[in-house]
Amino acid sequence: MSLKRFSQAIDGTIPIQALLYDDEDLLGSQDNVGIYDGQQKSPRHQSGTAYITSHRLFYVDGPKPDSCSFSIDLSHVSRTDYYAGLFTSSPKVTVYLAGDVSSESNDEHAPSIWECQVCGNRNSPGFSPSAARICGLCGVPRDASDDPEQGSSATHLSSSLPASGFAGSSVPRSSKDPVPCPACTFLNHPSLRTCELCETDLPRRPSRRELQSAPVSRPHSPDNDEEGDMLIKVSFRKGGDKAIYGALKTSLNGKVWESKAAIVDRGGGNRSVGISGILRTVENSVQERETSMHDALQDLEALMVKAKDMVHLAAELNDKLTAASSTNDEPEEATFIRSSLTQLGLHIDNAPVTQDMTKDERRWHEELARELAKVLQAGLMRDKGIVALDEVWGGWNRARGVALIPPATFLQVIPLLPQYTTPQVSTRKFASGLTVLHTPPYSASAFSARLAGFLVMQGSRTTLEIALEMELDMEESNEAGMSVSLCKEMVEDCEREGGVCRDDVGQCSIVGGGGVGAEVRWWPNLFVGYVWDGEEDG
Amino acid sequence: MALSTHTTSTGWDSVLKACNKVNEHILGFLLPSIHSAPPFFTQQPNPATEAIVIEQWTKLILSYARHRNLFYLRVEDAETGGDWDEVLRNDRINRRLPPAHLSSILAGMVAKNVASYEPAKQTRSVLLYWRLPEEWAEVLHQWASTTGQMNTIMTFYEITDPPVNSPLTNIPLPLLRKAITILAKSNRAQIIAIADGEGVRFFTPAK
């Protein structure tokens, strides 16, 4: 009866997600349900799972999923009812169905990729029947553009036909009403065969598609002789009814299958159709992007304010420590706190120098250089003789807290550094673009001399070993080691000068070895000044 | 090996010299001490260093070729075993000359005119001039006169494969032809076409 009429058989062995349209969402599911066709139990659908999606209601049978599963379009639902169970009777959700269904109209337009005649966009077949009627890019309905199935079976209830230019009257069909002409839209007397004005043949029963403008109207189906409502009940044997009922209600309210039509039909301006539609979507996306960027930048400003707070906090902490420990020896924790603050670059002795403090730009640079020198000596370069430029910039700005220094100014200040620092901090740029600040022991010549000596003493070494073992100065052997990448830069620089030569173990070894450059050992430059001592020409 | 144990307090040069004494003579060929240094086998990015490396390799290759009377050197010789293994590899230090490096060394030799690509228009195989074609010309003429074969027509085969070994035994034909052409310019030889192949006649220069 109604079940057979409104439902479509599906293959329940396919997982539910694969059966959905592209624009359909799964809202809820419940197992252990049974189906009532009308008022009686439907014998084949007594033990299965019900799924509610935004477009349809699915029932997947437990014992026989491939033959006893079906789906019902929610567009057929006129109203729903809820019955909370009593004693032995389980809760039920009643779904009243109405409307004209012709079984093949569902498959009319959906099955294959179709190309819109207006914009050329190829639409995929995965959309729900209503969505499949209009082009995804330009919004022009398929029927208005190309209609290979003109004159086919009667309309589907949920056809979302837009105003296609015909002055659609939503008047239900009957022989008393004027017939709109398909060419000139003049309303002719129903008994006429040709249009009064333009003489085109009037369709005897004009296809409903061309005449409807309101999407949800229900044309009279002359073949409709069923009395009363058709209904289906879903019985929940194991509960879960409230959730499913809620999902069903949401879905029905959403009426996603109509929304496409509603958009198209609104007022005069076709919102999603045509060039203006595309332009509008582009505008909207640009707008969205701007708002999200704006929000993000606001977050950044909030962060800067917090950073300022942190600097104040650090300053206060330092003052408190000084006050607390002025009488007795500073406890160990206080020293630790202080040293970590300076190392992080959070603390400077004076307020930062800003542009408005000094008028002359050159003097301002000098003041900045002086301040930077203090920062370097206090924390950033105290333990290491060489540090990368980005680290310095970050640390200095952190210490300043407010009135940050832009990179351009920073680059202008650096050349002035050697005058204010002892030992002299100078800049060095490597071939890879890495720029560092360094003290004299790390200058190119000093380093290569040390490196050559080290290699002669220790034999050949790889870059890693050099980084770990070579010492800072020849005299005092304090902490050995520098970062490996920095070491690599310096050694390669030395090679460029001709101080060392390389032995590519990876490429040249007979046994083992990786590829080119897999392992490189460094030797002092043996070739310079080498005297041939092989076989002499006889 | 010997290299690593000597390092504590001596400089690098003395280490090399010490190793040189230890070097084995292979078929009576003395390898230079630089051959025991692993960096010798790596192509150096520094152009000045690499120039020295190529120079030393050139010397070594030509010297070995002279010693063993080898004429051809191919890039493939770096990979597979062959006549050049003693020079292109050093098993004691586990190093070999990679083909790419050998290729650039060959290019350097051709640029200096101590070798030429043979056959022409490819870069994988060279003919080594451990004796320049001019010198070959002199040797050829000398040999022709001392073996009393002046003014007689000789086939190339007789020159390259004489019953008594001469410095010209197994000389490759392109080189022989070059030498003869040089002699022809000074009117001391003449190429003659004979039945199957080519022949040559030597003259004493007119006094």
Side-chain angles (χ1 to χ4, degrees):
Chain A
M1 273 200 340
S2 42
L3 193 63
K4 196 159 159 200
R5 194 165 158 172
F6 287 97
S7 66
Q8 286 167 292
I10 58 168
D11 183 359
T13 52
I14 303 175
I16 192 74
Q17 290 289 358
L19 290 170
L20 302 180
Y21 302 127
D22 287 354
D23 49 348
E24 190 175 3
D25 291 313
L26 185 64
L27 295 173
S29 70
Q30 177 58 37
D31 56 358
N32 286 107
V33 302
I35 300 291
Y36 283 64
D37 188 2
Q39 299 292 353
Q40 296 123 18
K41 284 192 185 182
S42 165
R44 300 194 317 152
H45 310 106
Q46 280 311 303
S47 166
T49 316
Y51 298 90
I52 302 283
T53 70
S54 48
H55 288 68
R56 295 180 278 180
L57 159 68
F58 283 90
Y59 170 80
V60 176
D61 196 47
K64 287 203 196 139
D66 47 340
S67 55
C68 296
S69 312
F70 63 85
S71 71
I72 296 178
D73 272 322
L74 291 176
S75 48
H76 299 319
V77 174
S78 57
R79 58 194 167 92
T80 59
D81 214 356
Y82 176 74
Y83 165 74
L86 224 288
F87 302 119
T88 55
S89 145
S90 27
K92 293 184 183 49
V93 168
T94 313
V95 173
Y96 293 88
L97 302 163
D100 184 21
V101 186
S102 77
S103 50
E104 57 265 5
S105 58
N106 272 336
D107 300 326
E108 261 174 13
H109 294 287
S112 54
I113 299 180
W114 59 280
E115 188 173 325
C116 170
Q117 296 284 19
V118 175
C119 67
N121 181 37
R122 301 177 85 86
N123 297 288
S124 65
F127 288 95
S128 56
S130 54
R133 290 226 157 72
I134 58 177
C135 169
L137 179 62
C138 65
V140 169
R142 186 178 183 180
D143 305 310
S145 53
D146 74 332
D147 200 347
E149 324 222 6
Q150 187 98 30
S152 66
S153 55
T155 335
H156 189 277
L157 169 67
S158 63
S159 69
S160 53
L161 289 176
S164 50
F166 297 103
S169 74
S170 47
V171 185
R173 303 272 87 243
S174 80
S175 48
K176 301 276 178 349
D177 291 344
V179 176
C181 165
C184 64
T185 76
F186 178 73
L187 294 172
N188 292 288
H189 193 272
S191 53
L192 287 172
R193 290 288 175 88
T194 55
C195 172
E196 269 185 82
L197 297 188
C198 65
E199 315 237 306
T200 36
D201 290 339
L202 290 181
R204 285 178 16 116
R205 243 179 61 167
S207 79
R208 306 207 178 151
R209 294 205 202 109
E210 297 159 76
L211 302 175
Q212 280 195 14
S213 55
V216 208
S217 65
R218 274 174 232 162
H220 272 290
S221 163
D223 304 327
N224 186 7
D225 30 296
E226 285 249 5
E227 295 290 336
D229 287 328
M230 289 155 285
L231 57 87
I232 284 182
K233 293 197 204 184
V234 182
S235 161
F236 296 87
R237 308 264 157 73
K238 287 259 172 81
D241 44 303
K242 285 256 182 328
I244 289 296
Y245 191 55
L248 185 58
K249 277 273 176 234
T250 318
S251 185
L252 287 171
N253 285 337
K255 286 195 194 279
V256 179
W257 57 91
E258 292 167 21
S259 57
K260 293 266 170 185
I263 290 173
V264 176
D265 196 47
R266 199 175 306 169
N270 295 335
R271 286 284 177 92
S272 65
V273 176
I275 302 282
S276 54
I278 299 179
L279 283 176
R280 227 171 293 251
T281 9
V282 170
E283 261 180 53
N284 285 342
S285 56
V286 168
Q287 192 73 11
E288 266 179 54
R289 250 207 305 275
E290 280 200 34
T291 32
S292 62
M293 206 141 53
H294 185 66
D295 289 338
L297 287 174
Q298 286 199 326
D299 290 342
L300 201 65
E301 297 203 4
L303 207 67
M304 272 177 49
V305 170
K306 293 260 160 59
K308 205 161 111 175
D309 290 340
M310 201 160 87
V311 170
H312 284 305
L313 189 62
E316 275 174 50
L317 193 61
N318 200 30
D319 292 336
K320 282 209 188 96
L321 282 175
T322 333
S325 65
S326 52
T327 47
N328 24 342
D329 302 291
E330 211 168 79
E332 202 185 286
E333 302 91 41
T335 336
F336 175 68
I337 292 176
R338 254 206 251 223
S339 56
S340 38
L341 284 181
T342 39
Q343 276 203 322
L344 280 177
L346 280 175
H347 173 74
I348 53 175
D349 290 315
N350 313 322
V353 178
T354 51
Q355 187 148 28
D356 41 335
M357 287 189 194
T358 50
K359 309 248 170 9
D360 184 10
E361 180 155 321
R362 169 133 181 103
R363 276 199 55 215
W364 174 52
H365 283 323
E366 285 174 15
E367 290 298 314
L368 281 180
R370 208 165 280 145
E371 182 190 307
L372 179 58
K374 264 196 232 119
V375 169
L376 288 175
Q377 265 153 340
L380 285 173
M381 282 185 81
R382 189 164 54 172
D383 295 329
K384 316 175 275 198
I386 184 165
V387 65
L389 215 57
D390 52 348
E391 239 179 274
V392 172
W393 182 62
W396 190 24
N397 274 331
R398 240 180 294 155
R400 286 176 66 101
V402 297
L404 308 176
I405 296 283
T409 325
F410 182 59
L411 289 173
Q412 283 172 316
V413 167
I414 297 176
L416 303 173
L417 266 183
Q419 306 163 26
Y420 297 102
T421 50
T422 50
Q424 283 205 349
V425 170
S426 35
T427 321
R428 181 165 161 199
K429 197 173 160 93
F430 292 107
S432 65
L434 173 68
T435 321
V436 292
L437 295 181
H438 65 96
T439 50
Y442 285 92
S443 70
S445 44
F447 184 80
S448 55
R450 263 213 323 280
L451 182 60
F454 174 75
L455 287 176
V456 169
M457 288 289 188
Q458 311 283 346
S460 73
R461 283 286 180 268
T462 61
T463 317
L464 181 60
E465 289 163 356
I466 293 175
L468 292 173
E469 293 171 20
M470 202 170 91
E471 292 134 6
L472 229 54
D473 290 304
M474 293 304 253
E475 303 96 35
E476 358 158 1
S477 52
N478 38 6
E479 328 83 35
M482 62 189 103
S483 78
V484 183
S485 45
L486 208 52
C487 179
K488 178 169 182 287
E489 294 283 344
M490 305 204 65
V491 171
E492 276 174 7
D493 216 38
C494 196
E495 178 190 37
R496 226 163 273 125
E497 300 298 318
V500 294
C501 59
R502 69 163 65 198
D503 168 27
D504 195 338
V505 179
Q507 194 184 29
C508 296
S509 56
I510 300 175
V511 175
V516 179
E519 189 201 326
V520 176
R521 299 189 76 88
W522 297 100
W523 298 69
N525 196 336
L526 319 163
F527 303 107
V528 175
Y530 171 73
V531 177
W532 173 265
D533 56 355
E535 183 105 347
E536 295 301 329
D537 297 338
Chain B
M1 307 251 42
L3 279 171
S4 48
T5 53
H6 276 253
T7 47
T8 43
S9 55
T10 53
W12 187 248
D13 287 323
S14 58
V15 169
L16 285 182
K17 287 203 177 55
C19 296
N20 202 13
K21 295 187 197 121
V22 176
N23 263 335
E24 303 145 31
H25 288 219
I26 300 162
L27 302 178
F29 182 78
L30 180 64
L31 289 166
S33 53
I34 197 76
H35 195 252
S36 320
F40 190 48
F41 294 84
T42 312
Q43 194 159 6
Q44 301 291 328
N46 184 333
T49 319
E50 180 65 6
I52 300 178
V53 167
I54 289 185
E55 189 195 320
Q56 300 299 334
W57 268 111
T58 309
K59 223 164 167 180
L60 175 59
I61 288 171
L62 290 177
S63 169
Y64 189 68
R66 187 175 300 120
H67 176 87
R68 290 273 311 270
N69 214 34
L70 301 168
F71 291 93
Y72 283 101
L73 176 56
R74 302 185 325 271
V75 172
E76 288 83 18
D77 287 328
E79 294 157 22
T80 54
D83 292 321
W84 291 92
D85 265 356
E86 285 111 7
V87 170
L88 299 181
R89 300 158 77 89
N90 189 341
D91 289 306
R92 285 159 297 157
I93 55 171
N94 193 27
R95 293 286 184 273
R96 61 181 178 96
L97 190 64
H101 197 189
L102 178 56
S103 188
S104 69
I105 291 173
L106 294 182
M109 287 207 283
V110 172
K112 272 191 259 174
N113 278 326
V114 288
S116 71
Y117 287 118
E118 188 65 48
K121 303 245 187 314
Q122 51 83 42
T123 52
R124 294 191 72 83
S125 147
V126 300
L127 174 61
L128 299 167
Y129 296 155
W130 42 266
R131 191 176 267 155
L132 290 178
E134 293 79 16
E135 292 165 2
W136 278 114
E138 291 306 317
V139 168
L140 182 59
H141 194 256
Q142 200 70 22
W143 176 75
S145 67
T146 49
T147 52
Q149 288 173 326
M150 300 299 273
N151 292 321
T152 54
I153 297 175
M154 304 183 65
T155 60
F156 282 5
Y157 180 69
E158 285 171 7
I159 299 175
T160 60
D161 217 359
V164 176
N165 262 0
S166 78
L168 293 155
T169 314
N170 289 326
I171 188 174
L173 292 181
L175 191 51
L176 181 58
R177 260 189 225 113
K178 268 205 188 76
I180 291 171
T181 323
I182 294 173
L183 283 180
K185 286 205 193 84
S186 54
N187 280 333
R188 292 184 286 168
Q190 183 186 25
I191 295 197
I192 298 171
I194 51 174
D196 33 51
E198 297 163 290
V200 62
R201 177 158 50 185
F202 296 98
F203 309 114
T204 45
K207 292 255 179 5

